[in-house]
């Protein structure tokens, strides 16, 4: 599967989403992972990535763990506000 990785700065209480396309990375999901807090196994990784888009969801990269010289594990958690930005903007609250 392919994810888009970004170096992106945003406030925690913001619905901001990165503009443009990020770096396309071919990844594997770590076994027994969660959709809300996935762990991706990445070849050719960068420690600069701190934000991920996978499908229609956005994730903060909480940690990058080096597994070998060319592989790392990206430990992520859902950015709920960015993921549901259109629902939030369309609500009458």
């Amino acid at each position: 599967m392919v994810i888009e990785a970004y170096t992106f700065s945003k406030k925690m209480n913001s619905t901001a989403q990165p503009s443009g396309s990020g770096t396309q990375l071919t990844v594997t999901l770590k076994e027994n992972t969660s959709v809300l807090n996935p762990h991706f196994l990445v070849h050719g990784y960068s420690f600069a990535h701190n934000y991920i888009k996978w499908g229609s969801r956005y994730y903060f990269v909480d940690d990058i763990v080096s597994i070998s010289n060319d592989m790392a594990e990206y430990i992520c958690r859902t950015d709920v506000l960015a993921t549901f930005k259109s629902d939030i903007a369309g609500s009458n609250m």
Side-chain angles (χ1 to χ4, degrees), residues 84-93:
F84 297 103
K85 179 178 182 171
S86 60
D87 295 330
I88 294 167
S91 66
N92 294 324
M93 293 184 205

Side-chain angles (χ1 to χ4, degrees), residues 29-60:
L29 280 175
K30 188 171 182 181
E31 290 185 34
N32 300 324
T33 195
S34 163
V35 173
L36 296 177
N37 300 303
H39 292 211
F40 298 102
L41 299 176
V42 183
H43 289 279
Y45 63 94
S46 168
F47 287 114
H49 297 144
N50 65 352
Y51 204 75
I52 299 289
K53 181 180 181 196
W54 174 37
S56 61
R57 292 183 183 257
Y58 292 90
Y59 299 91
F60 295 107

